[in-house]
Amino acid sequence: MPNLEHPAYPAATLLHLESLVPCRESQVSMLLSIFGERQQFTFPSIFIYGHTSSGKTYVMQTLLNTLELPHVFVNCVEYFTSRLLLEEILIQLQSCSETEQTSHVPCDTFNDFVRLFKQAVVRQELQDQTLYIVLDRAEQLREMEANILPAFLRLQELTDRNVTVVLLSEIVWELFRPNIGCFEPFTLYFPDYSIGHLQKILSQNHPPEYSADFYAAYINILLGVFYMVCRDLKELQHLAALNFSKYCEPVVRGEANERDTRKLWKNIEPHLKKAMQTVYLREISSSQWERLQRDNGEPGQLKGLSAHTHVELPYYSKFLLIAAYLASYNPVRTDKRFFLKHHGKIRKTNFMKKHEKTSNHLLGPKPFPLDRLLAILYSIVDNRVAPTANIFSQITSLVTLQLLSMVGHNDQLDGPRYKCTVSLDFIRAIAR
């Protein structure tokens, strides 16, 4: 019994679509009910959000391509200005017709875009069906002109055409909403894949020369090792493809069969431990890793590798450490002076409190709230930082590391009143 049903589309097409989007049947079913039939008007705008690798982009592309719905798909990171974005939408709209040659369409303002968009819809004969404009990484729209996001949300009203704008983002809608107000889109959440979902999705890619149960057992071992440190589907797919040949070695040599899970685990365990050290880092290429597997060598044997003597922290973790250090050692009253460009005149005075005559480094770090840490972070990073789950997960990791460093020092932990402090020694320890 298929999970996807809709009277406007053939059952065979929906069954094929269901096989392409495993573990996302409920979200696809919701989108189908929102889309309706081709000629029906639907919501003017839809906002889809979820963490990285939750299937937002893949599901939308697969749904629109499988059902052959007219659409435009644009990544807002690639087209990072309003002019580039609007022109790319018009160019892709021209390419909907295979007979017409696409050409550059100059578009300076949104008023020009509305006029050219209406002409393109008539030229492509799309008046009788819904056209979908999908903007991936839509959080970049907040960096553009203030009228871009509200205008896209009301594009159906402005053009008087059957068009739906779909925004894909990793952050919630509350961080998008302009202060002046705008049309509220229909919001849809894509939750993270559970371990059962990852097992099902990864098991579908089994090589034809091996049985499905054999590959499913391998995926189960892989997730048992990596699930606690990595839940990114793309990264797990890369790891599964990279290490499967090593898992099969005892079977290929005839030393074990597909059911000897103990021998297979003992053979793959040291290689998974090596792969654990390079999750997300990509210190070596796939060909180098395969050569390393064949030679049973260490990463340092490959020319040009750091051999893990120096591991780079994630980009924002560096700035978080710096911001935490500044918040620990600088008084609150100096934040305006240090981190504000136009702070006005500051009167110089020789008056200093008694405890301020001593160096702050000798007094030790002071506690600070999370809001102050984020405010300093936003001021020292050049580009605009979106408060996504990645930022807060890195904060949690740094705080967890500090708590682990305090084990045995119970006097520093004060139950629910504990506030974070970052000392210079802690930063040096992390940097090593």
Side-chain angles (χ1 to χ4, degrees), residues 79-119:
Y79 302 95
F80 51 90
T81 66
S82 59
R83 178 172 181 172
L84 290 174
L85 179 63
L86 299 177
E87 290 179 353
E88 177 62 20
I89 293 174
L90 294 173
I91 291 173
Q92 289 194 28
L93 188 56
Q94 284 184 356
S95 64
C96 291
S97 175
E98 298 179 357
T99 59
E100 185 175 348
Q101 185 177 2
T102 60
S103 60
H104 177 72
V105 183
C107 182
D108 296 325
T109 66
F110 208 91
N111 288 334
D112 294 338
F113 173 76
V114 171
R115 175 177 54 83
L116 295 171
F117 180 84
K118 294 166 71 173
Q119 296 174 1

Side-chain angles (χ1 to χ4, degrees), residues 47-52 56-57 74-77 80 135-144 149 166-173 175-176 384-388 390:
F47 182 80
I48 300 176
Y49 67 103
H51 292 167
T52 306
K56 306 180 296 296
T57 303
V74 182
N75 190 317
C76 296
V77 173
F80 51 90
L135 302 179
D136 196 10
R137 301 296 297 275
E139 58 268 14
Q140 299 297 321
L141 294 176
R142 304 183 304 164
E143 306 286 343
M144 301 181 188
L149 177 60
V166 183
L167 306 176
L168 306 181
S169 177
E170 296 180 7
I171 62 178
V172 297
W173 168 247
L175 299 176
F176 274 80
R384 186 172 178 179
V385 183
T388 60
N390 292 332

Side-chain angles (χ1 to χ4, degrees), residues 310-314 317-318 321 397-402 405 422-432:
H310 176 70
V311 177
E312 283 287 332
L313 288 173
S317 290
K318 300 176 185 177
L321 277 174
S397 300
L398 293 177
V399 173
T400 304
L401 286 172
Q402 189 194 13
S405 68
V422 174
S423 64
L424 188 58
D425 292 337
F426 176 68
I427 294 180
R428 286 171 177 166
I430 293 296
R432 296 194 195 105

Side-chain angles (χ1 to χ4, degrees), residues 222-290:
L222 187 80
L223 290 176
V225 175
F226 289 99
Y227 184 72
M228 293 303 295
V229 297
C230 175
R231 302 186 184 184
D232 190 318
L233 179 59
K234 294 179 181 178
E235 186 73 19
L236 290 171
Q237 286 176 333
H238 173 74
L239 291 169
L242 208 59
N243 295 282
F244 182 65
S245 59
K246 203 66 181 179
Y247 181 74
C248 300
E249 276 187 357
V251 179
V252 174
R253 294 196 298 260
E255 299 174 357
N257 56 44
E258 293 185 359
R259 295 184 178 274
D260 292 336
T261 54
R262 183 176 178 83
K263 289 184 179 179
L264 296 173
W265 163 249
K266 290 183 68 176
N267 183 70
I268 193 66
E269 181 184 12
H271 303 280
L272 293 182
K273 287 182 178 180
K274 291 179 186 176
M276 177 84 77
Q277 300 172 0
T278 58
V279 174
Y280 293 118
L281 294 181
R282 292 286 197 275
E283 289 193 354
I284 58 178
S285 64
S286 299
S287 59
Q288 286 177 315
W289 178 260
E290 292 174 358

Side-chain angles (χ1 to χ4, degrees), residues 13 36 42 63 126 164 174 227 306 313 336 340 350 405 410:
T13 303
T42 181
L63 175 62
L126 298 174
T164 295
E174 284 71 21
Y227 184 72
S306 63
L313 288 173
K336 182 178 178 181
L340 205 61
N350 294 326
S405 68
N410 295 330

